C-alpha cells in the first residue's frame, strides 16, 4: 500500500491528524464521554498485540507521574534490565516520548513504524463519526510497542495521560500500578469532585494488577484510596511501607533519608531540584523492590540515582543569572517552586509565565507573584494551546510591575537586561518549557 508519509515531519503530523479533524466537534465533557481507548486497543490487536507478554508498570497521578516513570525506568536499567519508557507530552521532539534504556527512538525508526500503523489507522478513520478520533497518545503508543518488541525489552514503564481510566495508555495489561500525588485538576474532564478524579486515576488498577504503590497523599485522599484498594494484597503506601525523610535542597539537587520495609538506605543524593522529587524517588524504589522481591543493592542505588535527569522539571538551563524552567500548570505545582526559591535564597526573581487557558494560570500567577519582583506573561513561539488574555490582567492585580511580552525569546531577553536579577524562572506548559530549552541549545 502506498504511503503518504515520506519524512519524519510527516510521521509526527500524522499523530495529530485524526484529533485535529475532530477537534471542533468534541464537546467539553468528562473523559468517559469524549475518549474511547478501545480504538487504541484495536490498533494494537491489528499489529499483532506487541504488548503481550511484556512486564509493565503503569503510572498515573496529578503531580510527579512523569518524574516517577522516569525514575522507575532509570532504577530498572541500573539493575541490568532492558527498559522501554513511554511518556507524554514531549518538550522538544515527539521521539522523546519513546525510549529504550534512556535513548529515544530515532527519526528513521519512528517514520518506519508509523508507516506500519498507517493503513490500520486509515481504515478505522473511514468508519468514525466526525466527533470520534484516534488520539495522538494511542497512535504513539502503538509505535512505542512495536519498537519495544523489536528492542526485546524486559520491562515497559508507561505514563498515563491526564486521567487513567479512559487513557489510551491504559489499554495494556499491567501487574504494577504507581500513583503519584493526587489533587483537584482537569475538573472539566475528570471532575468536578476529587472523588471523580480518584476514580479516573484508579482506572490503571485492573484485574491483573497485583501491586499498587501510592505516593504521598493528603489524608482524605489517602483514606479514599485505601478503601478503594482494599482488595490489593501488595499495597505499598508512602509513610507506611516507605518514606523519604530529612530532605535537604541546594543548587546541586536534593539529599534525603530513604527507608522502606526492606531496608534503611541512609542518605541519598538526587541531582534534581524540588523537594517533592525525594517522594517520587522513594515511590520508584518501592516499586522496584516489589519487582525484584528484594532490597535494592545500596551502592547501586546511590550510583543510579546520581545519574538521574528529568528535563523540564525545575531544570537548570543557565547560570549568571540562574535560569530555571519548570512545567508547573497549577498552584500546587508552583508551591514546590516557591519552596525551591526560598530554600536556596534567591533575592531578585523575574518569573516568565506561559500557562494556557485550560490550566490553572491564575493559581500559578498568584504563587509566583509572591516571590517575584516582576512577572512577565508570555507565550511559546508555536503551540496548539490557547492562552487567555485575562492572564495579564490578573498578573497586574497580583504584581503591579507585571508585563506582557511575547513570544518567549523577547520576554527572556528583557528579563536578562534587568539589573541585579539572580533568578529567571520560566514556568508553564510543556510546549512553553520546550521553547525555553530550544533557546538554550
Amino acid at each position: 500500500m502506498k504511503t503518504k508519509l515520506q519524512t519524519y515531519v510527516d510521521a509526527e503530523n500524522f499523530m495529530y491528524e485524526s484529533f485535529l479533524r475532530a477537534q471542533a466537534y468534541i464537546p467539553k465533557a468528562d473523559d468517559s464521554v469524549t475518549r474511547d481507548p478501545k480504538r487504541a486497543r484495536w490498533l494494537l490487536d491489528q499489529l499483532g498485540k506487541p504488548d503481550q507478554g511484556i512486564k509493565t508498570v503503569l503510572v498515573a497521578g496529578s503531580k510527579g507521574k512523569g518524574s516517577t516513570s522516569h525514575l522507575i525506568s532509570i532504577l530498572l536499567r541500573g539493575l541490568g534490565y532492558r527498559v522501554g519508557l513511554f511518556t507524554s507530552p514531549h518538550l522538544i521532539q515527539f521521539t522523546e516520548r519513546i525510549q529504550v534504556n534512556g535513548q529515544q527512538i530515532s527519526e528513521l525508526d519512528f517514520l518506519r513504524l508509523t508507516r506500519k500503523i498507517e493503513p490500520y489507522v486509515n481504515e478505522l478513520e473511514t468508519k468514525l463519526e466526525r466527533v470520534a478520533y484516534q488520539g495522538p497518545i494511542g497512535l504513539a503508543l502503538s509505535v512505542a510497542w512495536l519498537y519495544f518488541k523489536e528492542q526485546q525489552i524486559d520491562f515497559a514503564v508507561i505514563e498515563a495521560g491526564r486521567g487513567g481510566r479512559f487513557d489510551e495508555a491504559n489499554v495494556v495489561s499491567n501487574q504494577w500500578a504507581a500513583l503519584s500525588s493526587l489533587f483537584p485538576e482537569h475538573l472539566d474532564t475528570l471532575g468536578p469532585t476529587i472523588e471523580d478524579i480518584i476514580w479516573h486515576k484508579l482506572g490503571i488498577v485492573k484485574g491483573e494488577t497485583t501491586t499498587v504503590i501510592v505516593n504521598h497523599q493528603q489524608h482524605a485522599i489517602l483514606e479514599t484510596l485505601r478503601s478503594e484498594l482494599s482488595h490489593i494484597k501488595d499495597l505499598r503506601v508512602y509513610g507506611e511501607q516507605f518514606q523519604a525523610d530529612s530532605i535537604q535542597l541546594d543548587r546541586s539537587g536534593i539529599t534525603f533519608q530513604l527507608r522502606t520495609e526492606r531496608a534503611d538506605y541512609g542518605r541519598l543524593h538526587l541531582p534534581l531540584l524540588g523537594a517533592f522529587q525525594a517522594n517520587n524517588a522513594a515511590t520508584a524504589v518501592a516499586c522496584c523492590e516489589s519487582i525484584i522481591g528484594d532490597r535494592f543493592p545500596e551502592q547501586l542505588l546511590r550510583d543510579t540515582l546520581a545519574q538521574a535527569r528529568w528535563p523540564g522539571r525545575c531544570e537548570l538551563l543557565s547560570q549568571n543569572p540562574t535560569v530555571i524552567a519548570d512545567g508547573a500548570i497549577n498552584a500546587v505545582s508552583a508551591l514546590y517552586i516557591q519552596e525551591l526559591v526560598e530554600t536556596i535564597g534567591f533575592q531578585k526573581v523575574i518569573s516568565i509565565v506561559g500557562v494556557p487557558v485550560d490550566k490553572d494560570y491564575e493559581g500559578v500567577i498568584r504563587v509566583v507573584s509572591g516571590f517575584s519582583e516582576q512577572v512577565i506573561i508570555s507565550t511559546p513561539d508555536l503551540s496548539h494551546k490557547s492562552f487567555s488574555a485575562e492572564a495579564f490582567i490578573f498578573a497586574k492585580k497580583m504584581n503591579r510591575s507585571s508585563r506582557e511580552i511575547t513570544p518567549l525569546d523577547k520576554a527572556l531577553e528583557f528579563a536578562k537586561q534587568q539589573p541585579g536579577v539572580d533568578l529567571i524562572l520560566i514556568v508553564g506548559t510543556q510546549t512553553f518549557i520546550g521553547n525555553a530549552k530550544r533557546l538554550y541549545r
Side-chain angles (χ1 to χ4, degrees):
M1 182 177 180
K2 188 176 180 180
T3 178
K4 66 176 183 179
L5 307 178
Q6 300 300 318
T7 67
Y8 163 75
V9 173
D10 292 339
E12 182 173 343
N13 290 338
F14 184 70
M15 296 288 119
Y16 297 98
E17 279 185 6
S18 181
F19 172 74
L20 292 175
R21 186 257 315 147
Q23 188 175 24
Y25 308 103
I26 302 172
K28 291 185 177 181
D30 190 88
D31 274 4
S32 61
V33 175
T34 62
R35 306 181 77 175
D36 186 356
K38 291 195 295 292
R39 298 177 193 125
R41 182 67 259 174
W42 177 87
L43 181 55
L44 286 171
D45 290 345
Q46 301 309 302
L47 295 167
K49 303 179 180 180
D51 56 307
Q52 280 197 346
I54 297 178
K55 298 173 183 177
T56 300
V57 181
L58 204 54
V59 184
S62 302
K63 170 69 177 178
K65 58 189 173 69
S67 300
T68 303
S69 300
H70 220 76
L71 287 164
I72 293 171
S73 171
I74 290 169
L75 291 173
L76 288 174
R77 282 159 45 198
L79 288 166
Y81 294 110
R82 192 162 177 79
V83 185
L85 176 65
F86 180 80
T87 61
S88 64
H90 60 279
L91 289 174
I92 298 176
Q93 189 162 324
F94 201 94
T95 51
E96 296 168 23
R97 300 178 182 221
I98 303 169
Q99 299 182 24
V100 172
N101 275 16
Q103 299 298 314
Q104 65 190 52
I105 186 173
S106 70
E107 292 184 3
L108 285 176
D109 282 330
F110 185 80
L111 172 60
R112 173 177 59 83
L113 294 175
T114 302
R115 284 174 173 172
K116 191 167 184 177
I117 73 169
E118 181 186 13
Y120 302 107
V121 174
N122 290 340
E123 176 187 344
L124 182 56
E125 192 70 9
T126 62
K127 302 174 183 178
L128 296 179
E129 298 179 0
R130 68 180 187 177
V131 71
Y133 64 94
Q134 300 174 79
I137 289 181
L139 301 189
L141 184 73
S142 64
V143 171
W145 277 111
L146 288 173
Y147 187 62
F148 292 165
K149 190 76 171 180
E150 289 181 353
Q151 294 293 310
Q152 299 180 327
I153 64 170
D154 301 305
F155 287 93
V157 181
I158 308 294
E159 178 192 359
R162 68 187 176 208
R165 191 173 299 272
F166 297 98
D167 284 351
E168 291 93 338
N170 194 34
V171 299
V172 299
S173 176
N174 58 298
Q175 182 178 341
W176 297 272
L179 293 169
S180 67
S181 296
L182 305 182
F183 51 75
E185 52 148 355
H186 296 293
L187 297 181
D188 56 337
T189 54
L190 303 180
T193 69
I194 186 62
E195 288 75 20
D196 294 322
I197 291 170
I198 292 171
W199 179 77
H200 274 281
K201 305 295 184 180
L202 284 177
I204 70 167
V205 181
K206 303 191 282 290
E208 67 276 11
T209 306
T210 59
T211 300
V212 180
I213 302 94
V214 179
N215 201 338
H216 184 267
Q217 308 290 343
Q218 296 176 11
H219 177 74
I221 293 175
L222 178 57
E223 290 308 303
T224 301
L225 289 173
R226 198 190 303 278
S227 175
E228 295 294 328
L229 296 171
S230 60
H231 63 289
I232 297 294
K233 292 183 179 179
D234 188 12
L235 177 62
R236 305 182 182 213
V237 177
Y238 184 94
E240 297 176 13
Q241 285 75 28
F242 64 97
Q243 185 166 336
D245 292 312
S246 304
I247 303 169
Q248 294 182 327
L249 172 67
D250 60 30
R251 295 183 188 229
S252 70
I254 53 174
T255 56
F256 58 98
Q257 190 91 11
L258 175 61
R259 65 157 185 86
T260 71
E261 59 184 357
R262 292 186 180 272
D264 185 341
Y265 291 103
R267 292 200 67 73
L268 302 170
H269 178 74
L270 186 65
L272 300 178
L273 296 173
F276 63 93
Q277 296 291 9
N279 296 345
N280 295 338
T283 303
V285 171
C287 181
C288 291
E289 283 185 341
S290 170
I291 289 172
I292 64 176
D294 200 354
R295 61 179 291 165
F296 208 103
E298 191 166 325
Q299 189 57 50
L300 181 61
L301 178 60
R302 295 180 186 281
D303 294 343
T304 304
L305 288 179
Q307 301 170 29
R309 301 291 184 274
W310 186 222
R313 276 69 175 183
C314 288
E315 182 180 4
L316 180 65
L317 298 182
S318 183
Q319 296 187 17
N320 300 318
T322 299
V323 180
I324 292 176
D326 187 85
I329 52 174
N330 52 49
V332 175
S333 300
L335 285 171
Y336 289 114
I337 304 173
Q338 177 177 321
E339 179 185 16
L340 169 67
V341 171
E342 293 175 348
T343 301
I344 294 180
F346 292 108
Q347 298 301 309
K348 183 173 181 179
V349 181
I350 296 179
S351 293
I352 306 176
V353 179
V355 179
V357 67
D358 63 335
K359 307 298 182 185
D360 182 21
Y361 65 87
E362 288 190 353
V364 173
I365 293 170
R366 183 181 294 110
V367 172
V368 302
S369 292
F371 59 77
S372 302
E373 182 165 305
Q374 188 169 45
V375 175
I376 301 174
I377 302 301
S378 190
T379 58
D381 55 6
L382 181 65
S383 177
H384 65 284
K385 296 280 189 178
S386 297
F387 292 80
S388 175
E390 299 295 318
F392 176 58
I393 297 172
F394 185 77
K396 270 288 195 182
K397 292 179 181 178
M398 294 292 102
N399 186 314
R400 291 184 179 181
S401 64
S402 296
R403 288 174 173 259
E404 185 172 29
I405 305 175
T406 59
L408 175 57
D409 60 338
K410 292 184 178 179
L412 192 55
E413 182 180 352
F414 172 85
K416 289 178 180 178
Q417 292 173 351
Q418 303 314 298
V421 61
D422 60 348
L423 173 64
I424 298 173
L425 176 65
I426 303 172
V427 56
T429 186
Q430 292 301 299
T431 307
F432 196 59
I433 302 306
N435 189 173
K437 287 178 65 65
R438 286 194 299 274
L439 293 173
Y440 278 96
R441 271 180 165 178

